[in-house]
Amino acid sequence: MRIAATLMLVLMAGLFLLAREFEHQHTAWGYLHAFAEAALVGGLADWFAVTALFRRPMGLPIPHTAIIPENKDRIADTMADFLRANFLTPAVIARRMQSMNLAAGAGAFLTGPAQGPKGDSEGLRGRIGAGAGELFAEVLESLDQERLGGQVQAGLKAQLARIEIAPLMGQMLSAVIADKRHLPLIDAFIRWAGVTLEENEPLVREMIQSRANAFLRFAGLDERLANSVLDGMYRMLAEVLVDPDHPLRRKVEDGLEKLAHDLVNDPAMRARVEGVKEELLANPALGNWWTGVWERMRTSLIAMARGGGTAGEGKSQMAGYFAELSAELGKALQEDRRLQIQINRFARRTAVGVATRYGGQIVRLVSETVRRWDAQTVTSRIEGAVGRDLQFIRINGTLVGGLVGLTIHSLDAVFS
């Protein structure tokens, strides 16, 4: 546009010289001469005005030229004041956000098409899920293993130290007994005892025979004694297993009920449980165990987020989980009016709070940034933004000046 405006100015100069040469041959050349002369004056005047905004015309030290470079700091302060007055005041932000439904917009974004605009299988939700999974993996990788594991361990230890676990254990055990969920555990224990006895029968038999007196061993009754003891134990376990009202089973249940009662109400029992808990928490082996557990959890989560080497299966699962989660969140944001009101209110209050607390720092950042720019940078950026329109001013000034000169010449011809 600068070239076009300059070429038009050159054209007017050429027409001016041509019309001046042939002005005495015909009156029409006079009109052309007047048009070209006025257009040349108008174009030069606008060229001077436009150029004076950004630099000194022809490098001459003419007053009130190079306006933008010379007033760079004042422009920075004016921009900052404009931002503060029109955008970063709490009242303006609250008023502008009053009619905005940010929650519904976020919901529409999160519930976008599963496929991309060109039918790609990854799509919007897939990209969100993949990005969330990758971010999750990078966060886990960036964390200090020993430091974070120690912090988590210290946090758990502090929480467990504050909690008295004996009443909790007693209440849980009481609830289990009330719902009869302990019966399968007793049955499993009885079966386990029978299997253990069967697997270790030679050892038990040897123990019984070794404790028999010499007379029984001499008479060969030690083996019969061992067989009787083992048969009795097998019979007892079978009777306890099939008979829900067996006295031994009843004694076990009574013992569990008493344990649940003592865990809640017996200070001595509670003190013993607390002592065991404190010993466990102070044991370094527990800390080492937790560190290993944490590291395995962290490694597994990173492998799941990254795909782990199973053809991307883990990554697709993690990405799918985040994608489904985002879709459900987006649906809730779109359909739940109360949730929209709460989120929009929170967003509005947050924005107003940011403007109240940091509005001055934001505009000061803008002002200081512009102040740090050198004059050439400021000039080039502003000229790049509005320079095209300013060149149109030169073109319009050339044409308007020519028309004004033509009008004046015509009026002069009529009234002279």
Side-chain angles (χ1 to χ4, degrees), residues 252-376:
V252 172
E253 293 183 356
D254 290 343
L256 291 175
E257 291 176 356
K258 184 177 185 306
L259 177 61
H261 178 271
D262 292 344
L263 286 172
V264 176
N265 301 295
D266 187 2
M269 173 64 74
R270 293 169 62 171
R272 286 197 297 271
V273 173
E274 286 300 306
V276 172
K277 182 194 72 174
E278 292 175 0
E279 290 179 2
L280 288 175
L281 293 177
N283 193 335
L286 182 63
N288 296 334
W289 171 81
W290 165 250
T291 301
V293 170
W294 163 251
E295 183 56 27
R296 286 193 296 271
M297 289 172 55
R298 193 182 73 92
T299 305
S300 299
L301 290 173
I302 292 175
M304 184 181 298
R306 286 274 168 77
T310 58
E313 180 181 356
K315 184 175 181 179
S316 63
Q317 291 177 355
M318 181 72 75
Y321 171 75
F322 282 117
E324 292 177 2
L325 187 65
S326 64
E328 292 177 1
L329 176 61
K331 185 177 180 181
L333 289 175
Q334 283 187 307
E335 298 178 354
D336 194 333
R337 180 60 183 169
R338 290 183 300 177
L339 182 61
Q340 290 181 10
I341 293 175
Q342 292 177 354
I343 291 180
N344 290 335
R345 185 184 296 120
F346 173 77
R348 187 166 57 251
R349 290 176 177 175
T350 301
V352 170
V354 169
T356 302
R357 292 184 179 183
Y358 306 108
Q361 299 180 19
I362 294 174
V363 296
R364 188 162 59 249
L365 175 64
V366 174
S367 175
E368 292 176 353
T369 301
V370 177
R371 283 175 175 270
R372 284 195 298 267
W373 289 346
D374 60 274
Q376 181 60 37

Side-chain angles (χ1 to χ4, degrees), residues 179-200:
D179 295 338
K180 298 188 179 302
R181 286 178 290 176
H182 67 297
L183 297 179
L185 297 177
I186 294 177
D187 293 341
F189 176 77
I190 295 172
R191 291 190 181 92
W192 172 83
V195 172
T196 303
L197 180 62
E198 183 179 1
E199 291 177 350
N200 296 276

Side-chain angles (χ1 to χ4, degrees), residues 5 8-9 12 35-36 38-44 46 392-404:
M8 179 170 288
L9 195 61
M12 293 301 106
F35 174 83
L40 189 59
V41 173
L44 288 172
D46 285 337
F392 271 114
I393 291 177
R394 291 180 56 193
I395 294 174
N396 293 335
T398 302
L399 294 176
V400 171
L403 292 176
V404 171

